Amino acid sequence: MTVQMYAELKERQGPLGPGPAGPEPGSAEESVSCGEGEGLAFGAAARALGLRVREFELAVQLGEVRTVRTGAGPRVEQAELTRLTTAEGFPDALVARLRVVGTADGAELLGISQGRLTRLARGGFFAPVRFYVNRYRAVVWLYRAADLTELAARQPELLSGRTPPGLSAALAAGEDRRAETWRARRIEQLLARTEEPWARAAVLAAALGPDDLASVVDDLHERGRLRELRPALIRIRPDGGPLRDVIDRTVTADDPREIRRYRAALTEALRFARADRSVPCPEDTPRSGGRHRSEDRPRGLWRRLFGRC
């Protein structure tokens, strides 16, 4: 039987549901607001920490670097830089926590074969932190080295001997949870960064394809609002073509159990969002120039598209 990765992620990062997003006060994920102009932009903060851009992005995603919200965008406060740079072992300890490895390096790190590492990843024993699509249009998964060493310390029996029967059966049936556990990790990271109900609903919607989203949100205007707020699960996507298709399939839930889980979570998140602030009807939105629609005018296209709100 495979490890329930979602349970581990929820213990580590909080629930996937629509409740208050945030991290515990004082935790690595904690994000606070500050005045406009305070703190360093991400590029300057990365240089101050001696991190490459991709390392810094991962540090923010994993909560290793706390961010603040300002009118000028996300920033890193000087106090946070001081906390990091004066920590024991800086900068080597921080860089080690951010080390990312592929299958070959990960297997060498644990002293196991690449095949065994891949089987454990497919079974959901640890979640990838990144992926890319190579020139052969294959998804290449990357793992946090610290996650692998933690697994080795926690379950050393997995590194030698026969593959557990339950896992062997699941793999023989074609199970591969790498994309699922990556999505779960990424969704949890994004949920931890907002408490606004509609934004939280949009995070959950990001994991669903158009048909599954429409099955949960039948109101066209609400779907438009979710699309407007929906964050990208990855930073860069190609404009189109085969690579885009591979990436879209990877970031979208495809297993029926996973889809049901996100649909249920989105349904609950929408309940909170609608109670907090409903999406205004398009007909109620003032037109440009300050002119308002006459109440006597036919609803026309808006009525046909959106119906009664």
Side-chain angles (χ1 to χ4, degrees):
M1 181 178 298
T2 61
V3 168
Q4 297 298 311
M5 193 65 201
Y6 284 132
E8 294 184 5
L9 289 173
K10 289 172 73 175
E11 288 179 4
R12 195 162 61 235
Q13 299 171 331
L16 182 61
E24 294 295 325
S27 71
E29 288 275 354
E30 183 181 13
S31 178
V32 297
S33 299
C34 67
E36 184 171 355
E38 296 182 16
L40 276 71
F42 280 8
R47 290 190 294 272
L49 295 172
L51 298 176
R52 295 189 293 269
V53 172
R54 296 288 282 170
E55 288 176 327
F56 183 82
E57 290 175 352
L58 183 61
V60 172
Q61 288 181 10
L62 296 176
E64 293 285 350
V65 176
R66 302 169 185 167
T67 63
V68 296
R69 298 183 299 275
T70 76
R75 293 290 187 268
V76 179
E77 291 185 309
Q78 184 59 50
E80 174 67 358
L81 294 177
T82 300
R83 180 186 73 85
L84 292 165
T85 55
T86 58
E88 183 179 357
F90 178 84
D92 294 342
L94 176 60
V95 172
R97 293 196 298 274
L98 299 175
R99 182 187 174 197
V100 172
V101 296
T103 300
D105 288 340
E108 182 178 357
L109 177 66
L110 298 186
I112 61 178
S113 69
Q114 295 183 37
R116 181 175 285 268
L117 184 95
T118 299
R119 289 193 294 273
L120 293 175
R122 289 181 61 190
F125 285 89
F126 45 84
V129 291
R130 282 190 178 143
F131 72 88
Y132 66 90
V133 181
N134 66 17
R135 60 181 176 175
Y136 303 108
R137 301 175 191 170
V139 175
V140 179
W141 295 105
L142 302 174
Y143 309 98
R144 189 185 183 201
D147 290 346
L148 303 186
T149 55
E150 288 170 9
L151 174 69
R154 187 175 64 249
Q155 295 180 274
E157 68 278 5
L158 295 174
L159 306 186
S160 61
R162 300 183 61 182
T163 302
L167 176 58
S168 294
L171 296 178
E175 181 166 313
D176 187 345
R177 299 187 62 200
R178 288 175 293 184
E180 177 186 352
T181 55
W182 175 82
R183 286 188 292 265
R185 184 172 211 160
R186 191 74 185 102
I187 292 294
E188 291 286 356
Q189 290 166 351
L190 292 167
L191 285 175
R193 284 165 173 73
T194 181
E195 294 183 3
E196 202 285 315
W198 280 101
R200 289 178 64 77
V203 169
L204 294 165
L208 293 173
D211 292 342
D212 290 309
L213 178 59
S215 70
V216 178
V217 190
D218 57 4
D219 183 276
L220 291 175
H221 193 50
E222 286 187 345
R223 288 208 302 275
R225 179 61 172 160
L226 293 177
R227 283 193 295 269
E228 177 186 341
L229 295 174
R230 182 171 56 193
L233 298 188
I234 59 173
R235 184 170 63 93
I236 297 176
R237 288 190 179 189
D239 293 333
L243 292 183
R244 174 64 179 267
D245 293 339
V246 174
I247 291 175
D248 283 344
R249 288 196 300 270
T250 304
V251 302
T252 304
D254 57 358
D255 181 82
R257 294 169 299 178
E258 184 189 9
I259 291 172
R260 286 195 296 269
R261 182 173 181 270
Y262 281 114
R263 287 177 56 176
L266 176 58
T267 298
E268 186 70 359
L270 286 171
R271 185 173 68 84
F272 277 77
R274 289 162 178 157
D276 178 76
R277 186 179 73 240
S278 62
V279 177
C281 267
E283 65 189 64
D284 295 333
T285 303
R287 295 186 176 193
S288 60
R291 293 177 296 172
H292 293 267
R293 171 190 168 277
S294 168
E295 291 297 323
D296 296 328
R297 290 185 61 185
R299 292 173 182 258
L301 179 61
W302 286 123
R303 175 65 177 270
R304 292 198 299 274
L305 286 176
F306 296 105
R308 303 182 67 89
C309 290

